[in-house]
Each structure stands twice: as structure tokens, then as C-alpha cells.
């Protein structure tokens, strides 16, 4: 069995940056480092950073009140995740009296900026994404209460009359072809709609690499990443959309090597929140040696 690894497998720059920011504070020691919800959608990496003193408080959606020990507040730092937060959440976190450090991915900040700019000119926002994802919840906070999340043509059909000023953007990790298709569909109803492709470069790169693995002859692709990671799940779906079986695993322990032996060429890819030490162990288990970088 030949094994090939996608070039882009592993952390995207936004996730790496957020982890570095939190780790820099933790490395200084003596001060608690809190994150508003999980810093990264990967339980193995969460365990690792927790051992370094970075503690998740709050909930997945970054919406609940935080209970933080009063005695730690004056010395603690609150780090915002790469997914970003709404302006209201920012105000709330800043009101807690801790040092505030924003690790929102600049690519998410770019989307927020586009929404804010258009909303302040009276545009209604159509956001292509998952309404329950924290990035989408945060971005909706920039729409001046004039935002709608859509996932399908059916959702576009169900939109109320929106007037002439309509702007469409995407959650950073969606499929490019679906966004283009929905953008064209929206324009039938709103010919003057501003459709802005805000899918991030890291997502596009990972999606292109799946296609490249298929072109290189991969008959099955192992997709490594958290079962709750949106971008990892999407990669697995993309693999299947190309008619190739996807094996979504969280760690090397989840791999059934015997089940893969029937394939001559097996590809490996990983989500943007998958640490290198897990990719490394998956590669090793499948007989592909790879230098440990992170
Ligand atoms: S997936 Fe894209 S938007 Fe999200 S953190 Fe990574 S680079 Fe930033």
C-alpha cells in the first residue's frame, strides 16, 4: 500500500496563531489563561494545552455567562478564539476585568469587516454557513440585526423581501463551489446583490489538496481531525463527493489498518485544527515516515 500525504495537512495559520498567543501567556507562568470556549476543536490538543495552563471557560457557542473565580481575575488573561466573537460578546468579556487578548483569525476579521461595512450602509447580510457554529454566531453580531444565515437554495427561497441592498458572504470554511452556486441563485432574486467570496485561503488550499490526492490516484483517504471539527468533517464530505471512501479518524488508534490494505494508494489529509503530533502518529501507523514539526 502506497501512502500519500496532503501538503496542507495540519494547522492553518489562524489556529496556529491563536494557540501561540495563548501559549505565550501561559509560558510566562503565574497567571491563569482562559479561553471563551474551546480554543481549538481537537480534544487531544485541548488536553495538551490545558496541561500548559490554558483553561477553557464558557461554552462552545461563546454565549453563556462565565463563572470565574474573583480572586484570579486581576491576574488572568482572557484569550478570544480564532473563530472570533460578536461585538456584544467582546463588550461582555472586556467588562469582566481581566486582560483581554483577541486571537480572532484575521481572515475571520476580514469577513466581520465586510459585514460591518455593508450593514452600516443599510445592506442586509446573507451569511452562508452553519447557524450553530461559533464563527457564524460571532459574525451575525455585525449585521445590525439584519442578517440571515443560509445553507441551501431552500433557505434563500424562504428569505423575506429584503429590498435592493443585499450582501452575501460565507463562513470561512465552506465549500467554494456551493458558495458560488448559491451566490448565483441569490442573484436571480436580487440582481444587485454584492456577493463576496470570504472562504479563507487555508480552506481553499485544503479542498484543492483533496482533489490533488484523488488525481494522484488515492483510492481511499484518511481524514484526520476532531469529530466536532467543522472543517475536518467538510473535508471528509468533500472526499466522498469525489467518489472516494473517506475514513475520518481522530487519532491513530481509530485506524483499522486491515480495512485499508485492500487499497493500493491511500491518501491522508487533516483538518485545520489537527496538530502535527496526531498526523505524525497516523502517518507512522500507515507506514509513512514524517518529521515531527509541531
Ligand atoms: S480556517 Fe481559515 S479562517 Fe479559520 S482559523 Fe484557519 S485560516 Fe483562519
Amino acid at each position: 500500500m502506497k501512502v500519500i500525504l496532503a501538503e496542507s495537512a495540519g494547522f492553518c495559520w489562524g489556529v496556529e496563531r491563536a494557540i501561540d498567543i495563548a501559549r505565550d501567556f501561559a509560558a510566562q507562568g503565574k497567571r491563569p489563561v482562559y479561553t471563551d470556549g474551546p480554543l481549538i476543536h481537537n480534544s487531544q490538543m485541548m488536553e495538551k494545552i490545558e496541561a500548559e495552563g490554558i483553561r477553557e471557560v464558557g461554552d462552545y457557542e461563546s454565549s453563556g455567562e462565565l463563572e470565574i473565580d474573583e480572586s484570579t481575575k486581576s491576574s488572568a488573561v482572557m484569550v478570544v478564539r480564532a473563530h472570533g466573537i460578536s461585538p456584544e460578546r467582546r463588550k461582555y468579556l472586556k467588562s469582566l476585568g481581566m486582560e483581554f487578548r483577541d486571537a480572532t483569525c484575521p481572515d475571520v476579521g476580514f469577513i466581520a469587516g465586510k459585514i460591518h461595512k455593508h450593514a452600516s450602509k443599510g445592506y442586509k447580510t446573507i451569511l452562508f454557513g452553519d447557524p450553530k457554529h461559533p464563527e457564524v454566531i460571532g459574525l451575525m453580531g455585525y449585521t445590525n440585526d439584519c442578517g440571515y444565515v443560509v445553507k441551501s437554495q431552500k433557505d434563500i427561497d424562504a428569505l423575506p423581501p429584503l429590498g435592493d441592498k443585499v450582501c452575501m458572504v460565507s463562513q470561512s470554511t465552506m465549500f467554494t463551489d456551493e458558495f458560488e452556486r448559491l451566490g448565483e441563485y441569490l442573484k436571480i432574486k436580487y440582481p444587485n446583490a454584492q456577493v463576496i467570496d470570504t472562504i479563507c485561503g487555508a480552506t481553499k488550499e485544503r479542498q484543492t489538496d483533496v482533489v490533488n490526492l484523488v488525481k494522484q490516484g488515492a483510492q481511499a483517504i484518511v481524514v484526520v481531525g476532531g469529530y466536532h471539527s467543522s472543517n475536518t468533517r467538510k473535508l471528509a464530505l468533500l472526499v466522498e463527493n469525489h467518489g472516494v471512501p473517506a475514513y475520518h479518524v481522530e487519532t491513530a488508534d481509530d485506524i483499522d489498518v486491515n480495512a485499508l490494505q485492500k487499497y493500493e494508494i491511500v491518501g491522508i489529509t487533516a483538518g485545520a485544527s489537527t496538530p502535527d503530533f496526531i498526523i505524525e502518529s497516523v502517518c507512522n501507523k500507515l507506514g509513512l515516515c514524517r518529521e515531527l514539526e509541531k
Side-chain angles (χ1 to χ4, degrees), residues 202-247:
T203 296
K204 288 179 176 168
E205 199 183 3
R206 278 154 186 76
Q207 290 176 6
T208 302
D209 277 358
V210 165
V211 179
N212 288 339
L213 287 177
V214 174
K215 279 187 187 157
Q216 286 172 67
Q219 295 157 338
I221 296 179
V222 176
V223 184
V224 193
Y227 292 131
H228 298 294
S229 156
S230 158
N231 74 83
T232 308
R233 290 207 313 244
K234 281 214 173 56
L235 280 182
L237 191 60
L238 186 64
V239 169
E240 282 169 359
N241 287 348
H242 279 82
V244 172
Y247 292 79

Side-chain angles (χ1 to χ4, degrees), residues 133-271:
H133 193 278
E135 179 185 320
V136 171
I137 292 169
L139 289 172
M140 286 296 282
Y142 290 88
T143 64
N144 284 354
D145 290 330
C146 291
Y148 303 84
V149 183
V150 299
K151 287 170 93 172
S152 63
Q153 290 191 356
K154 210 171 127 206
D155 293 342
I156 290 178
D157 289 340
L159 289 170
L162 297 175
D164 208 31
K165 287 184 156 182
V166 175
C167 161
M168 182 178 182
V169 293
S170 173
Q171 181 183 343
S172 62
T173 51
M174 302 304 275
F175 290 141
T176 311
D177 57 341
E178 275 186 17
F179 178 73
E180 283 170 0
R181 216 167 33 242
L182 281 188
E184 278 164 24
Y185 191 72
L186 185 81
K187 283 205 163 197
I188 297 170
K189 207 169 168 185
Y190 300 100
N192 296 326
Q194 303 261 322
V195 178
I196 308 165
D197 179 357
T198 53
I199 296 167
C200 74
T203 296
K204 288 179 176 168
E205 199 183 3
R206 278 154 186 76
Q207 290 176 6
T208 302
D209 277 358
V210 165
V211 179
N212 288 339
L213 287 177
V214 174
K215 279 187 187 157
Q216 286 172 67
Q219 295 157 338
I221 296 179
V222 176
V223 184
V224 193
Y227 292 131
H228 298 294
S229 156
S230 158
N231 74 83
T232 308
R233 290 207 313 244
K234 281 214 173 56
L235 280 182
L237 191 60
L238 186 64
V239 169
E240 282 169 359
N241 287 348
H242 279 82
V244 172
Y247 292 79
H248 183 174
V249 299
E250 247 188 18
T251 69
D253 292 342
D254 302 330
I255 295 177
D256 179 356
V257 180
N258 288 335
L260 295 172
Q261 292 295 351
K262 61 184 170 204
Y263 304 111
E264 282 172 25
I265 305 178
V266 171
I268 302 175
T269 187

Side-chain angles (χ1 to χ4, degrees), residues 12-15 82 105 107-108 135 172-173 200 202-203 272:
C12 64
W13 77 289
V15 166
C105 174
D107 283 346
V108 176
E135 179 185 320
S172 62
T173 51
C200 74
T203 296

